[in-house]
Amino acid sequence: MLCTRPVALLVAFLAACSSPIALAQTAPTVHPDRWPRAHSPVRQDAATEKRITSILARMSVEEKVGQTLQPEMKSITPADVITYHIGSIENGGGSVPGGNKHASVGDWLRMIDSYWRASVDPRHKGPRVPLMWASDAVHGHNNVFGATLFPHNIGLGAARDPDLIRRIGAATAEEVRVLGMDWSFAPTLAVVQDDRWGRTYESYSEDPAIVAEYATAMVSGLQGSGRTFLDRDHVIATAKHFLGDGGTDGGRDQGDNLASEEVLRDVHGAGYPAAINGGVQAVMASFSSWHGVKLHANKPLLTDVLKDRMGFDGLVIGDWNAHGQVPGCSKGDCPVAFNAGIDVFNVPEDWKALYASMVREVKDGTVPMARLDDAVRRVLRVKMRANVFDQGLPSSRPHAGDTALLGATTHRAVAREAVAKSLVLLKNDPGLLPIDPRGHRILVVGAGADDIGKQTGGWSLSWQGNDNANIDFPGATSIWKGIKAAVEAGGGTAVLSHDGRFTGTKPDAAIVVFGENPYAEFQGDQADVALHVENAESLSLLRRLRAAQVPTAAVLISGRPLYLNPQINAADAFVAAWLPGSEGAGIADVLIAKSDGAPAHDFQGKLPFSWPKRPDQTPLNVGQPGYDPQFAFGYGLTYAHPARVGTLPEAKVAVETAARGVFLKDGVGTNGFALAIGDAQAPRIAAVGARIATYGAEALTLRRVDRRRQEDAWSAAWTGTEDAWIELARSEPMDLSREANGAMVLQLELNVTRPPTAAVTLTVGGGEVPVGGLLRRSGDWMRLRVPLRCFGTAGGNLTGVSAIRLRTAGAFNILLSDVSLQETAAGDQCPAGK
Ligand code: BGC
Ligand code: BGC
């Protein structure tokens, strides 16, 4: 029936059928009296409160509103700080002065000084309130060239060493101070329950007790405590993301947590009283929802529980544009979030609109003046506790500009210690480890061996961390360099071989380093807990070395536990190294024996997350009914207490090898997408295998062609006799709304072999965008890039995408090899015209 409808109607009909009905959701009732109280050691001080009262009395509504907005540095000028009385600025992940990721300490300081000066400019009529600068120093001061990068939190969770966490916090705070900044958006206190989430590595553990213990340790490391609280060596910490970020359904980024109030409190909430007891001064609200209600709109949790019950008297900051996701809100207008308890909006770009709407809403009573005063009081209180009023120009503060402190030897030593302590030994059957270097030749193999970008992971110089090379990390040590130094010091030789091939005599042992490539936030979300890069490659490498009878140890780089039984079986020893950061030498410290053959350091790491037996075994958490992991939470062998692992069962489950954002790879549909052709009469004729799909009197033919390899692309030829399309179709709709909100771009790798004679459109989720104008040139492989949001603007429903369709009524020929989601680059925009 549908097939006979005209196309335009069909598309409109599908869009209407699949758009979600905006239901007014209500979260379950919260009972604040059932939540724990917390006791911050940082007491309110009468003199400070009096001083705040007198400042507030002299502030206009506009000046107060300015304190509640935190723009991102790329979207604001120092002059704006004066005009809009801005209270704080952040640099987002990978946001660096002049867009130069090698920016120097001087570049940073000059920039931050210019904004700071504007905040105390005499042109402000009311009180001059110096601004604060915030950055995501989540594993060291990771946005900054030359900084020490500590292991990501998952590795620290394996170390089970709160004192180490405190020292990492202290070293990080000093490096933040070198840049004259006041505030870090760390620690993350997510208690991740489903390791498909792309932020699993930002979590210390699936166990709330570890997260709670580390929360106090990291907060006191960053902020200091007692006499050192927020002194010249320390910075403001942020407990994030309140609340339930690690428990979203299916591990979806920014998703919905469906836990009961008890689980929300005892599992996901465990870190917050602990952070408050450590004196934390900022809490970041979570993007996620609880039973369908965005945390940014949940007053019972933000105000009644966090502020009232737990007595948190610091400030609550929103997350990146998260208020804009609250029903009825936009990025530039959201009184609901403010009234629910957000004190400072994280509003990277749309802060002028938000300033205007807030001023208006305070004046018309939508936002009560008492709420505004409370929020600004909290901001001023934190500024006073952090001595922001008295410290002066950022570049003039203690440690500012001290380049020797950035990536200092002492800090790198702490990071190296952390790497060594984070390693978890899963298997060491014939006792291959520690590798005896004396007179031996050690082959070091694999894509992760000499790749500092890979070992540092996401949130490293850039947001995703996937565009870095070794030269981007001065002072850092790759895993290979660390092994080489240790082997040579022990009287052996080490050889690097990317693909595992060797010439001459057989090596005495090999170390294969492989694993995940860097990702951050939703870009790391997966449908399972399998390895999606280097899966086949790592396995054949290990099997080849085994066939050559080279004793081999595997070292896995990953942001989560992964089902890897075939690789574990193919290796003699297997080490989970997580995302170790800049000090790769910590791996050799444990894997390579000393020159007397004895271990230099034993393994200390214990699994912070349960290790799966199958790629689809998730959620998998200790204590759950029927708990049956491959390696249990807390597992970890040592040299002192060896044990045999033997051969592990290999699951017969098909593993999707493509990352989530890949829909056509080398001509093969992935993530459930399959290539088809159609028109209004016969909307979906599958292109099966290598067979040619043809519609009607050859109005459109689709056949396989070679691009880089045999049959790795398709040729689509429209004759112009019919309005017809090719499409990537999926039986179950896929939710791409998070990707659209994350500014992802849909990219088609194609080659126009005959330019179109009529309009061409690209449709996603029913939203149709004209692309013909971008396809006029012929003869070369090119990338057709359309920001996902353009399909939403064109009326598409990105929560349920079941087809990506390229359509024309004209004559047109293309070759097509790949379709995927990519990060936004300069120049990406919604196409206009035909
Ligand atoms: C992340 C936060 C981060 C913020 C600022 C958000 O997308 O969820 O963890 O602090 O961006 O970069
Ligand atoms: C920013 C990150 C932020 C993310 C939110 C990125 O462009 O650099 O800091 O967390 O957007 O989606």
Side-chain angles (χ1 to χ4, degrees), residues 165 187-189 204 209-221 239 270-276 278 280:
I165 303 313
T188 296
L189 302 180
Y204 294 119
I210 294 178
V211 174
E213 190 177 30
Y214 275 18
T216 317
M218 186 51 93
V219 166
S220 57
Y272 291 89
I276 295 169
V280 77

PDB file of all heavy atoms in Angstrom, residues 165 187-189 204 209-221 239 270-276 278 280:
ATOM      1  N   ILE A 165      46.311   8.395  44.352  1.00  0.00           N
ATOM      2  CA  ILE A 165      45.300   9.266  43.732  1.00  0.00           C
ATOM      3  C   ILE A 165      45.457  10.688  44.254  1.00  0.00           C
ATOM      4  O   ILE A 165      45.393  11.662  43.499  1.00  0.00           O
ATOM      5  CB  ILE A 165      43.871   8.728  44.038  1.00  0.00           C
ATOM      6  CG1 ILE A 165      43.712   7.296  43.569  1.00  0.00           C
ATOM      7  CG2 ILE A 165      42.789   9.628  43.459  1.00  0.00           C
ATOM      8  CD1 ILE A 165      44.197   7.003  42.168  1.00  0.00           C
ATOM      9  N   PRO A 187      37.068  15.294  39.794  1.00  0.00           N
ATOM     10  CA  PRO A 187      37.031  13.956  39.196  1.00  0.00           C
ATOM     11  C   PRO A 187      35.646  13.514  38.733  1.00  0.00           C
ATOM     12  O   PRO A 187      34.633  13.969  39.255  1.00  0.00           O
ATOM     13  CB  PRO A 187      37.455  13.075  40.379  1.00  0.00           C
ATOM     14  CG  PRO A 187      36.921  13.790  41.585  1.00  0.00           C
ATOM     15  CD  PRO A 187      37.019  15.256  41.262  1.00  0.00           C
ATOM     16  N   THR A 188      35.642  12.598  37.779  1.00  0.00           N
ATOM     17  CA  THR A 188      34.419  11.903  37.379  1.00  0.00           C
ATOM     18  C   THR A 188      34.135  10.815  38.407  1.00  0.00           C
ATOM     19  O   THR A 188      35.013  10.010  38.717  1.00  0.00           O
ATOM     20  CB  THR A 188      34.604  11.263  35.987  1.00  0.00           C
ATOM     21  OG1 THR A 188      34.797  12.305  35.037  1.00  0.00           O
ATOM     22  CG2 THR A 188      33.381  10.438  35.587  1.00  0.00           C
ATOM     23  N   LEU A 189      32.914  10.822  38.924  1.00  0.00           N
ATOM     24  CA  LEU A 189      32.548   9.851  39.963  1.00  0.00           C
ATOM     25  C   LEU A 189      31.508   8.856  39.476  1.00  0.00           C
ATOM     26  O   LEU A 189      30.797   8.230  40.268  1.00  0.00           O
ATOM     27  CB  LEU A 189      32.057  10.595  41.215  1.00  0.00           C
ATOM     28  CG  LEU A 189      33.087  11.577  41.802  1.00  0.00           C
ATOM     29  CD1 LEU A 189      32.519  12.269  43.035  1.00  0.00           C
ATOM     30  CD2 LEU A 189      34.389  10.861  42.158  1.00  0.00           C
ATOM     31  N   TYR A 204      36.366   5.156  37.853  1.00  0.00           N
ATOM     32  CA  TYR A 204      37.355   4.394  38.614  1.00  0.00           C
ATOM     33  C   TYR A 204      36.971   2.926  38.718  1.00  0.00           C
ATOM     34  O   TYR A 204      37.838   2.061  38.736  1.00  0.00           O
ATOM     35  CB  TYR A 204      37.495   4.956  40.027  1.00  0.00           C
ATOM     36  CG  TYR A 204      38.067   6.355  40.109  1.00  0.00           C
ATOM     37  CD1 TYR A 204      37.326   7.397  40.671  1.00  0.00           C
ATOM     38  CD2 TYR A 204      39.350   6.636  39.640  1.00  0.00           C
ATOM     39  CE1 TYR A 204      37.853   8.682  40.772  1.00  0.00           C
ATOM     40  CE2 TYR A 204      39.885   7.915  39.736  1.00  0.00           C
ATOM     41  CZ  TYR A 204      39.127   8.933  40.299  1.00  0.00           C
ATOM     42  OH  TYR A 204      39.654  10.203  40.389  1.00  0.00           O
ATOM     43  N   ALA A 209      32.299   1.508  46.332  1.00  0.00           N
ATOM     44  CA  ALA A 209      33.208   1.752  47.460  1.00  0.00           C
ATOM     45  C   ALA A 209      34.534   2.333  46.973  1.00  0.00           C
ATOM     46  O   ALA A 209      35.104   3.238  47.597  1.00  0.00           O
ATOM     47  CB  ALA A 209      33.445   0.450  48.230  1.00  0.00           C
ATOM     48  N   ILE A 210      35.027   1.834  45.830  1.00  0.00           N
ATOM     49  CA  ILE A 210      36.293   2.365  45.297  1.00  0.00           C
ATOM     50  C   ILE A 210      36.102   3.805  44.856  1.00  0.00           C
ATOM     51  O   ILE A 210      36.918   4.686  45.135  1.00  0.00           O
ATOM     52  CB  ILE A 210      36.788   1.481  44.129  1.00  0.00           C
ATOM     53  CG1 ILE A 210      37.161   0.090  44.657  1.00  0.00           C
ATOM     54  CG2 ILE A 210      37.966   2.131  43.403  1.00  0.00           C
ATOM     55  CD1 ILE A 210      37.622  -0.876  43.579  1.00  0.00           C
ATOM     56  N   VAL A 211      34.982   4.054  44.172  1.00  0.00           N
ATOM     57  CA  VAL A 211      34.722   5.419  43.694  1.00  0.00           C
ATOM     58  C   VAL A 211      34.642   6.381  44.879  1.00  0.00           C
ATOM     59  O   VAL A 211      35.205   7.479  44.848  1.00  0.00           O
ATOM     60  CB  VAL A 211      33.441   5.461  42.838  1.00  0.00           C
ATOM     61  CG1 VAL A 211      33.078   6.893  42.463  1.00  0.00           C
ATOM     62  CG2 VAL A 211      33.621   4.603  41.577  1.00  0.00           C
ATOM     63  N   ALA A 212      33.974   5.963  45.948  1.00  0.00           N
ATOM     64  CA  ALA A 212      33.833   6.849  47.112  1.00  0.00           C
ATOM     65  C   ALA A 212      35.196   7.137  47.747  1.00  0.00           C
ATOM     66  O   ALA A 212      35.531   8.293  48.037  1.00  0.00           O
ATOM     67  CB  ALA A 212      32.892   6.211  48.137  1.00  0.00           C
ATOM     68  N   GLU A 213      35.998   6.102  47.900  1.00  0.00           N
ATOM     69  CA  GLU A 213      37.302   6.292  48.537  1.00  0.00           C
ATOM     70  C   GLU A 213      38.187   7.225  47.686  1.00  0.00           C
ATOM     71  O   GLU A 213      38.864   8.114  48.204  1.00  0.00           O
ATOM     72  CB  GLU A 213      37.970   4.926  48.707  1.00  0.00           C
ATOM     73  CG  GLU A 213      39.206   4.970  49.566  1.00  0.00           C
ATOM     74  CD  GLU A 213      39.808   3.579  49.780  1.00  0.00           C
ATOM     75  OE1 GLU A 213      39.656   2.727  48.889  1.00  0.00           O
ATOM     76  OE2 GLU A 213      40.439   3.385  50.846  1.00  0.00           O
ATOM     77  N   TYR A 214      38.149   7.004  46.372  1.00  0.00           N
ATOM     78  CA  TYR A 214      38.952   7.837  45.471  1.00  0.00           C
ATOM     79  C   TYR A 214      38.417   9.264  45.369  1.00  0.00           C
ATOM     80  O   TYR A 214      39.173  10.196  45.086  1.00  0.00           O
ATOM     81  CB  TYR A 214      38.987   7.202  44.077  1.00  0.00           C
ATOM     82  CG  TYR A 214      40.051   6.145  43.886  1.00  0.00           C
ATOM     83  CD1 TYR A 214      40.667   5.517  44.966  1.00  0.00           C
ATOM     84  CD2 TYR A 214      40.443   5.773  42.606  1.00  0.00           C
ATOM     85  CE1 TYR A 214      41.637   4.537  44.759  1.00  0.00           C
ATOM     86  CE2 TYR A 214      41.415   4.809  42.390  1.00  0.00           C
ATOM     87  CZ  TYR A 214      42.014   4.191  43.466  1.00  0.00           C
ATOM     88  OH  TYR A 214      42.979   3.245  43.258  1.00  0.00           O
ATOM     89  N   ALA A 215      37.106   9.431  45.538  1.00  0.00           N
ATOM     90  CA  ALA A 215      36.522  10.769  45.431  1.00  0.00           C
ATOM     91  C   ALA A 215      37.170  11.684  46.467  1.00  0.00           C
ATOM     92  O   ALA A 215      37.636  12.783  46.145  1.00  0.00           O
ATOM     93  CB  ALA A 215      35.014  10.704  45.648  1.00  0.00           C
ATOM     94  N   THR A 216      37.224  11.225  47.691  1.00  0.00           N
ATOM     95  CA  THR A 216      37.828  12.027  48.746  1.00  0.00           C
ATOM     96  C   THR A 216      39.303  12.271  48.436  1.00  0.00           C
ATOM     97  O   THR A 216      39.808  13.390  48.588  1.00  0.00           O
ATOM     98  CB  THR A 216      37.711  11.310  50.117  1.00  0.00           C
ATOM     99  OG1 THR A 216      36.402  10.758  50.227  1.00  0.00           O
ATOM    100  CG2 THR A 216      37.969  12.252  51.256  1.00  0.00           C
ATOM    101  N   ALA A 217      39.979  11.215  47.967  1.00  0.00           N
ATOM    102  CA  ALA A 217      41.426  11.340  47.724  1.00  0.00           C
ATOM    103  C   ALA A 217      41.715  12.322  46.593  1.00  0.00           C
ATOM    104  O   ALA A 217      42.601  13.187  46.710  1.00  0.00           O
ATOM    105  CB  ALA A 217      41.992   9.960  47.379  1.00  0.00           C
ATOM    106  N   MET A 218      40.980  12.233  45.493  1.00  0.00           N
ATOM    107  CA  MET A 218      41.251  13.115  44.362  1.00  0.00           C
ATOM    108  C   MET A 218      40.866  14.553  44.679  1.00  0.00           C
ATOM    109  O   MET A 218      41.586  15.487  44.315  1.00  0.00           O
ATOM    110  CB  MET A 218      40.507  12.615  43.110  1.00  0.00           C
ATOM    111  CG  MET A 218      40.831  13.376  41.840  1.00  0.00           C
ATOM    112  SD  MET A 218      42.616  13.555  41.473  1.00  0.00           S
ATOM    113  CE  MET A 218      42.917  12.151  40.416  1.00  0.00           C
ATOM    114  N   VAL A 219      39.760  14.739  45.383  1.00  0.00           N
ATOM    115  CA  VAL A 219      39.359  16.101  45.744  1.00  0.00           C
ATOM    116  C   VAL A 219      40.412  16.727  46.657  1.00  0.00           C
ATOM    117  O   VAL A 219      40.834  17.874  46.455  1.00  0.00           O
ATOM    118  CB  VAL A 219      37.954  16.105  46.398  1.00  0.00           C
ATOM    119  CG1 VAL A 219      37.670  17.433  47.066  1.00  0.00           C
ATOM    120  CG2 VAL A 219      36.886  15.775  45.352  1.00  0.00           C
ATOM    121  N   SER A 220      40.904  15.969  47.617  1.00  0.00           N
ATOM    122  CA  SER A 220      41.888  16.602  48.503  1.00  0.00           C
ATOM    123  C   SER A 220      43.226  16.773  47.798  1.00  0.00           C
ATOM    124  O   SER A 220      43.979  17.696  48.115  1.00  0.00           O
ATOM    125  CB  SER A 220      42.004  15.883  49.843  1.00  0.00           C
ATOM    126  OG  SER A 220      42.336  14.553  49.625  1.00  0.00           O
ATOM    127  N   GLY A 221      43.516  15.925  46.805  1.00  0.00           N
ATOM    128  CA  GLY A 221      44.725  16.135  46.023  1.00  0.00           C
ATOM    129  C   GLY A 221      44.660  17.408  45.195  1.00  0.00           C
ATOM    130  O   GLY A 221      45.598  18.204  45.161  1.00  0.00           O
ATOM    131  N   ALA A 239      33.076  17.477  41.242  1.00  0.00           N
ATOM    132  CA  ALA A 239      32.563  16.104  41.251  1.00  0.00           C
ATOM    133  C   ALA A 239      31.525  15.998  40.134  1.00  0.00           C
ATOM    134  O   ALA A 239      30.591  16.795  40.072  1.00  0.00           O
ATOM    135  CB  ALA A 239      31.922  15.804  42.605  1.00  0.00           C
ATOM    136  N   ALA A 270      27.342   7.139  45.374  1.00  0.00           N
ATOM    137  CA  ALA A 270      28.302   6.869  46.455  1.00  0.00           C
ATOM    138  C   ALA A 270      29.436   7.894  46.529  1.00  0.00           C
ATOM    139  O   ALA A 270      29.929   8.208  47.610  1.00  0.00           O
ATOM    140  CB  ALA A 270      28.896   5.476  46.279  1.00  0.00           C
ATOM    141  N   GLY A 271      29.846   8.436  45.401  1.00  0.00           N
ATOM    142  CA  GLY A 271      30.994   9.340  45.405  1.00  0.00           C
ATOM    143  C   GLY A 271      30.698  10.730  45.954  1.00  0.00           C
ATOM    144  O   GLY A 271      31.620  11.460  46.326  1.00  0.00           O
ATOM    145  N   TYR A 272      29.428  11.117  46.002  1.00  0.00           N
ATOM    146  CA  TYR A 272      29.131  12.526  46.304  1.00  0.00           C
ATOM    147  C   TYR A 272      29.300  12.913  47.764  1.00  0.00           C
ATOM    148  O   TYR A 272      29.990  13.900  48.050  1.00  0.00           O
ATOM    149  CB  TYR A 272      27.775  12.917  45.688  1.00  0.00           C
ATOM    150  CG  TYR A 272      27.939  12.928  44.180  1.00  0.00           C
ATOM    151  CD1 TYR A 272      27.718  11.776  43.428  1.00  0.00           C
ATOM    152  CD2 TYR A 272      28.464  14.034  43.532  1.00  0.00           C
ATOM    153  CE1 TYR A 272      27.967  11.748  42.062  1.00  0.00           C
ATOM    154  CE2 TYR A 272      28.714  14.024  42.163  1.00  0.00           C
ATOM    155  CZ  TYR A 272      28.467  12.877  41.440  1.00  0.00           C
ATOM    156  OH  TYR A 272      28.741  12.855  40.098  1.00  0.00           O
ATOM    157  N   PRO A 273      28.721  12.142  48.715  1.00  0.00           N
ATOM    158  CA  PRO A 273      29.017  12.495  50.114  1.00  0.00           C
ATOM    159  C   PRO A 273      30.524  12.441  50.372  1.00  0.00           C
ATOM    160  O   PRO A 273      31.076  13.288  51.088  1.00  0.00           O
ATOM    161  CB  PRO A 273      28.291  11.409  50.918  1.00  0.00           C
ATOM    162  CG  PRO A 273      27.270  10.833  49.997  1.00  0.00           C
ATOM    163  CD  PRO A 273      27.797  11.006  48.609  1.00  0.00           C
ATOM    164  N   ALA A 274      31.202  11.492  49.732  1.00  0.00           N
ATOM    165  CA  ALA A 274      32.652  11.354  49.933  1.00  0.00           C
ATOM    166  C   ALA A 274      33.385  12.577  49.387  1.00  0.00           C
ATOM    167  O   ALA A 274      34.345  13.068  49.990  1.00  0.00           O
ATOM    168  CB  ALA A 274      33.144  10.086  49.250  1.00  0.00           C
ATOM    169  N   ALA A 275      32.949  13.078  48.224  1.00  0.00           N
ATOM    170  CA  ALA A 275      33.592  14.265  47.650  1.00  0.00           C
ATOM    171  C   ALA A 275      33.321  15.489  48.524  1.00  0.00           C
ATOM    172  O   ALA A 275      34.203  16.323  48.758  1.00  0.00           O
ATOM    173  CB  ALA A 275      33.084  14.502  46.233  1.00  0.00           C
ATOM    174  N   ILE A 276      32.091  15.583  49.031  1.00  0.00           N
ATOM    175  CA  ILE A 276      31.748  16.718  49.897  1.00  0.00           C
ATOM    176  C   ILE A 276      32.555  16.616  51.199  1.00  0.00           C
ATOM    177  O   ILE A 276      33.095  17.609  51.689  1.00  0.00           O
ATOM    178  CB  ILE A 276      30.226  16.758  50.175  1.00  0.00           C
ATOM    179  CG1 ILE A 276      29.477  17.026  48.856  1.00  0.00           C
ATOM    180  CG2 ILE A 276      29.882  17.811  51.227  1.00  0.00           C
ATOM    181  CD1 ILE A 276      27.969  16.835  48.943  1.00  0.00           C
ATOM    182  N   GLY A 278      35.364  15.515  51.409  1.00  0.00           N
ATOM    183  CA  GLY A 278      36.713  15.942  51.039  1.00  0.00           C
ATOM    184  C   GLY A 278      36.776  17.435  50.757  1.00  0.00           C
ATOM    185  O   GLY A 278      37.843  17.949  50.415  1.00  0.00           O
ATOM    186  N   VAL A 280      34.849  19.240  48.381  1.00  0.00           N
ATOM    187  CA  VAL A 280      34.698  19.658  46.983  1.00  0.00           C
ATOM    188  C   VAL A 280      33.848  20.931  46.864  1.00  0.00           C
ATOM    189  O   VAL A 280      32.862  21.096  47.585  1.00  0.00           O
ATOM    190  CB  VAL A 280      34.109  18.500  46.128  1.00  0.00           C
ATOM    191  CG1 VAL A 280      32.602  18.337  46.333  1.00  0.00           C
ATOM    192  CG2 VAL A 280      34.426  18.717  44.647  1.00  0.00           C
TER     193      VAL A 280
END
